[in-house]
Amino acid sequence: RDGQRAPTAEERVEGIKRSAEVRRQAASRHAHQLAPRIREAMAAGASLQTVARQLTADGVPMPRGGTQWTATAVRRVLHTASM
């Protein structure tokens, strides 16, 4: 690279840590936004699997970018939002 030095191993590790933290924070914000919708559906009698199917059908992205919701992912959103 012209005029740039390669990052040291420590700099790479720190960059990876910062990147992971940014992704975690974004996922947490997304979980907090989705939690009311999930809680409302469950209060109306929907199971975790039913909520997962509806979120997938509605094209709602998962907190970290996926599109195929599972009951486990719905449970994790609720757990994250309760923190």
Side-chain angles (χ1 to χ4, degrees):
R1 294 182 268 188
D2 294 335
Q4 293 182 342
R5 66 171 179 78
T8 65
E10 284 181 5
E11 290 169 334
R12 284 194 303 272
V13 168
E14 283 305 310
I16 291 168
K17 287 180 182 178
R18 281 192 307 273
S19 179
E21 179 62 19
V22 167
R23 286 191 311 275
R24 188 198 63 75
Q25 289 174 358
S28 179
R29 283 191 302 276
H30 190 61
H32 280 84
Q33 292 170 347
L34 281 176
R37 175 181 177 170
I38 294 170
R39 287 188 190 112
E40 182 179 323
M42 293 185 73
S47 67
L48 290 169
Q49 186 60 47
T50 299
V51 172
R53 286 186 188 120
Q54 190 60 54
L55 292 170
T56 297
D58 291 348
V60 176
M62 295 175 63
R64 293 195 180 190
T67 57
Q68 186 66 39
W69 283 87
T70 64
T72 300
V74 172
R75 186 177 333 110
R76 286 179 180 157
V77 164
L78 292 174
H79 176 75
T80 299
S82 70
M83 298 173 99

